[in-house]
């Protein structure tokens, strides 16, 4: 079979050469690319003759997939699959497998880091010092003792809850499925409206689907405390982002942190969160650590091996 890794996945050439030797010994061809190109003509050029392809979060619409007639398996170096036309894949015999679990620690740590930044205003104060200012009368807030709501208790939500409990926060949760192991940690499951009303911080950890799109909109934001913080390391469209920006600018919530948006950064100049008050933004990096990328490669190419050995 012809195996193609469409992008570098943050790996070095030496690691790819190991994979190349590995697949040659198995009797397969392996092609890899050391850059990331998202335009459709390049994707088609790279995948056109592949039976097996490896890709992360680059969009794969039907217009690309339809020009790859030999494709039979996609090993996706990402947790979510909403960037791939799964209906097309299902209808054309293309198996798709994600890399669940590789970034659990990375995302949960950034979520908590964003909470700490908002509470202690680390980013803002860094700018103040560089601008020649001192502390003045600034007072931060502590994470210990805060009530934090976890929306979605999958692997990442659960890992985030565990970190928060170690900080001494009270943790409550809302999820489609109540997990006994999460309750055993001391986390109380409540309704989503109750969670929004009681929490000092709300952290989102749900996948994007028809049920979760705009899960946090104007009605939900209206339930939150005026001092509450909203953290989104899940998917951008889980929130009505324009409504969040309005709530921030009107002082109806206290702050927000977003690592995800409706599109991949760079964002357009008129994006509502760019001008929103007390809003911390990072360019979709929660999953991106040296450790998570190493683990991701093991998972992704392990899946390829499993497919080839069927």
């Amino acid at each position: 079979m012809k195996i193609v890794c469409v992008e570098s996945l943050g790996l070095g050439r030496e690691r790819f050469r190991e994979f190349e030797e590995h697949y040659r010994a198995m009797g397969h061809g392996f092609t890899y690319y050391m850059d990331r190109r998202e335009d459709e003509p390049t994707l088609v050029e790279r995948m056109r003759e592949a039976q097996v392809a490896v890709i992360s979060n680059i969009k794969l619409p039907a217009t690309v997939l339809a020009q790859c007639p030999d494709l039979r398996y996609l090993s996706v170096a990402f947790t979510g699959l909403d960037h791939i036309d799964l209906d097309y894949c299902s209808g054309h015999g293309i198996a798709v497998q994600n890399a669940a679990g590789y970034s659990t620690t990375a995302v949960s740590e950034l979520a908590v880091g964003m909470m700490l930044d908002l509470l202690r205003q680390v980013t803002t104060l860094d700018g103040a010092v560089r601008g020649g200012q001192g502390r003045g009368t600034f007072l931060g807030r502590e994470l210990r003792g805060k009530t934090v709501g976890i929306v979605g208790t999958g692997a990442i939500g659960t890992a985030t809850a565990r970190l928060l409990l170690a900080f001494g926060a009270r943790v409550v949760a809302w999820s489609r499925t109540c997990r006994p192991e999460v309750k055993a940690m001391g986390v109380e499951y409540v309704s989503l409206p109750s969670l929004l009303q009681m929490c000092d911080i709300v952290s989102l950890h749900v996948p994007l689907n028809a049920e979760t799109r705009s899960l946090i909109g104007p009605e939900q934001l209206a339930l939150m405390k005026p001092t509450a913080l909203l953290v989104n390391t899940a998917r951008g469209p889980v929130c009505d982002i324009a409504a969040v920006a309005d709530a921030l600018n009107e002082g109806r919530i206290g702050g927000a942190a977003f690592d995800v948006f409706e599109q991949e950064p760079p964002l357009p100049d008129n994006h509502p969160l760019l001008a929103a008050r007390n809003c911390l933004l990072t360019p979709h990096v929660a999953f991106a650590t040296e450790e998570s990328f190493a683990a991701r490669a093991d998972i992704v190419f392990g899946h390829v091996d499993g497919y080839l050995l069927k």
Side-chain angles (χ1 to χ4, degrees), residues 40 43 58-67 83-85 88:
E40 292 193 10
L43 291 174
I58 296 173
K59 286 187 176 181
L60 272 187
T63 50
V64 171
L65 294 167
Q67 298 182 69
H83 58 294
I84 294 172
D85 191 326
Y88 182 93

Side-chain angles (χ1 to χ4, degrees), residues 169-208:
R170 176 196 177 198
V171 181
V172 299
W174 173 85
S175 192
R176 185 176 60 180
T177 303
C178 296
R179 298 174 61 184
E181 62 270 31
V182 174
K183 295 175 73 173
M185 291 164 48
V187 176
E188 178 188 0
Y189 280 96
V190 298
S191 69
L192 183 58
S194 294
L195 182 150
L196 295 170
Q197 289 174 325
M198 72 170 63
C199 285
D200 302 298
I201 304 170
V202 175
S203 191
L204 305 178
H205 301 283
V206 292
L208 178 62

Side-chain angles (χ1 to χ4, degrees), residues 14 53 70-71 80 102 111 118 131 150 154 179 184 250 276 278 301 306-307 309:
E14 183 176 343
D70 298 328
L71 189 63
Y102 80 93
L118 288 171
I150 300 293
R179 298 174 61 184
E250 295 167 9
N278 200 22
F301 289 102
Y307 176 76
L309 293 171

Side-chain angles (χ1 to χ4, degrees), residues 108 111-113 115-116 119 143-150 157-172 185 187 201-203 205:
S108 61
V112 174
M115 297 174 200
L116 292 168
L119 289 167
L143 183 52
R144 181 179 179 84
K146 297 294 184 292
T147 299
V148 184
I150 300 293
T158 299
T160 305
R162 189 174 290 112
L163 291 175
L164 291 165
L165 290 168
F167 271 92
R170 176 196 177 198
V171 181
V172 299
M185 291 164 48
V187 176
I201 304 170
V202 175
S203 191
H205 301 283

Side-chain angles (χ1 to χ4, degrees), residues 43-44 47-50 64-72 94:
L43 291 174
V44 171
M47 296 174 57
R48 191 191 306 275
E49 298 178 357
V64 171
L65 294 167
Q67 298 182 69
C68 306
D70 298 328
L71 189 63
R72 291 295 174 264
I94 303 171

